[in-house]
Amino acid sequence: MHESRENYLETIFILNKRNGKVRSIDIAKELGFSKPSVSRAVGLLKSSGYLDVLDDGSIILNEVGLKKAQSIYERHEVLTLFCVKILGLPHDIAEKDACKMEHIISDELFNAIKKFINL
């Protein structure tokens, strides 16, 4: 899966946790993207089987999308924690770098990092 699609899934997951309901405009505001760009991405994620759009415009992750989003979110959180607690980076830098790393590291490296920090 492309990094941009993973970022959309993670954003939908976070917005749902925060607000309970997610619409395209919420995603656009959160990511700083145009509504047409978000609508296109949502359409691709829907056709790929990761989410559903309800009649009222609400966007919900289905079982497959939720599982993928939770995995991405976990990587983000663990990598941020690793960068802050183990490497001593400031939180804002750790957050930005974790967002990049979460998409490219192997499952083996991620699991080794989790084991190293006892998660």
Side-chain angles (χ1 to χ4, degrees):
M1 175 178 276
H2 295 284
E3 180 179 337
S4 63
R5 289 185 187 186
E6 287 184 349
N7 282 333
Y8 275 100
L9 289 176
E10 183 180 23
T11 299
I12 293 166
F13 178 77
I14 291 167
L15 287 171
N16 185 59
K17 282 179 61 170
R18 187 185 312 152
N19 305 331
K21 188 174 188 178
V22 180
R23 295 179 314 140
S24 290
I25 192 68
D26 303 320
I27 300 167
K29 286 179 183 175
E30 186 76 13
L31 295 175
F33 296 159
S34 69
K35 191 159 181 324
S37 294
V38 171
S39 293
R40 183 178 183 282
V42 166
L44 290 170
L45 289 168
K46 181 180 176 186
S47 66
S48 297
Y50 290 99
L51 55 81
D52 297 308
V53 179
L54 303 180
D55 291 338
D56 69 353
S58 297
I59 298 166
I60 58 167
L61 297 169
N62 60 26
E63 187 176 336
V64 173
L66 182 60
K67 184 176 178 181
K68 183 68 175 173
Q70 287 172 325
S71 171
I72 298 161
Y73 184 74
E74 178 191 25
R75 281 176 173 250
H76 184 94
E77 292 294 300
V78 168
L79 291 169
T80 300
L81 179 66
F82 177 75
C83 289
V84 170
K85 298 290 185 184
I86 305 302
L87 302 179
L89 292 174
H91 192 269
D92 60 330
I93 293 172
E95 189 85 27
K96 287 180 204 171
D97 288 345
C99 193
K100 295 172 192 167
M101 291 186 299
E102 69 194 31
H103 305 286
I104 59 171
I105 66 170
S106 67
D107 289 341
E108 291 79 11
L109 177 56
F110 178 68
N111 289 328
I113 290 170
K114 279 178 56 175
K115 184 177 179 182
F116 182 79
I117 60 175
N118 296 315
L119 291 178

